[in-house]
Amino acid sequence: MPVKVLTDPRHTAPEGGTAPAPAPHLDAAKLFRDHAQFVASFVVRLGTRREEVDDIVQEVFLVAHRRGGFIPGAARPTTWLAEIAIRVSSAARRRQRRSREDPDVQTVAGALATGRNPGELAETAEALRRVQQALEALDEAKRAVFILFELEGESCDSIAAGLGIPIGTVYSRLHKARKLFMEVHSRLLGAGPTPTTGPEGRKANSLMVTQ
């Protein structure tokens, strides 16, 4: 799957036509049933230690409950939860300054590797490790936008609404994050910097969106 460019329809709101019906109000229980896996994956990609993921996820949905659940608007439930997850995971890191471990890439790879042989699983785990290392080169603000757009398929409008930032900030962070991600990922592959629209860019992006 090619890396998204500025003509990607997710960068802009659709013109004309009838706007889709707003999503219904979602309480915390419904949000948890529908999106707990999304939140867990998101906080791992943000750099949360695997032994802390369950606690972080629980806290995210407690905050969602205290806020009265998701009320339909410009944001999607996932981008709304992402904003909470960023705050909760940041607070957790401030409370506990401990040595970092690699994310549980073996578990992630295993979940994606149904039917794959051990050699393919090992290759997937190593590829996921490189992706995570490249993500960790990004600061939290850029990483969050990059994950939501490139890995989770969210629109720029929804990201802006969910994170409470201007749409121009989303574009700027995404552009800078893509450039740095590909530079780091290329170095990890033993190659020089590769444009995001080149073969390696497409290959890296294809890997990410399958996670």
Side-chain angles (χ1 to χ4, degrees), residues 20-83:
H25 173 270
L26 300 176
D27 62 20
K30 174 66 172 171
L31 287 166
F32 182 85
R33 290 193 298 271
D34 291 350
H35 301 299
Q37 185 57 50
F38 161 80
V39 173
S41 175
F42 183 68
V43 299
V44 166
R45 287 163 170 159
L46 284 179
T48 297
R49 292 158 57 101
R50 62 185 181 182
E51 65 268 27
E52 297 170 348
V53 169
D54 287 347
D55 288 342
I56 296 296
V57 170
Q58 182 179 27
E59 180 63 21
V60 167
F61 288 99
L62 285 173
V63 173
H65 174 70
R66 289 196 292 268
R67 291 188 181 182
F70 172 74
I71 299 173
R76 285 164 44 86
T78 44
T79 54
W80 184 77
L81 287 167
E83 186 273 336

Side-chain angles (χ1 to χ4, degrees), residues 98-208:
R98 293 182 286 187
S99 61
R100 301 184 66 179
E101 296 178 353
D102 286 340
D104 192 2
V105 294
Q106 292 290 347
T107 298
V108 175
L112 299 171
T114 303
R116 295 181 182 177
N117 63 44
E120 291 173 328
L121 175 57
E123 289 178 1
T124 300
E126 181 57 33
L128 288 170
R129 193 181 306 278
R130 286 195 295 267
V131 167
Q132 185 64 32
Q133 286 179 300
L135 285 174
E136 290 175 0
L138 310 177
D139 63 50
E140 184 176 76
K142 295 184 185 69
R143 193 189 309 185
V145 169
F146 185 88
I147 292 168
L148 289 170
F149 187 86
E150 296 287 1
L151 279 67
E152 299 297 343
E154 301 288 357
S155 72
C156 288
D157 285 330
S158 181
I159 294 169
L163 302 187
I165 57 178
I167 190 73
T169 301
V170 174
Y171 294 151
S172 175
R173 290 179 185 177
L174 181 59
H175 173 75
K176 293 174 182 177
R178 282 170 166 170
K179 183 175 185 294
L180 181 55
F181 176 90
M182 292 310 302
E183 288 174 352
V184 175
H185 191 267
S186 294
R187 287 199 297 270
L188 292 171
L189 286 171
T194 305
T196 59
T197 54
E200 279 298 333
R202 290 193 294 271
K203 182 178 179 182
N205 190 67
S206 176
L207 169 67
M208 289 187 295

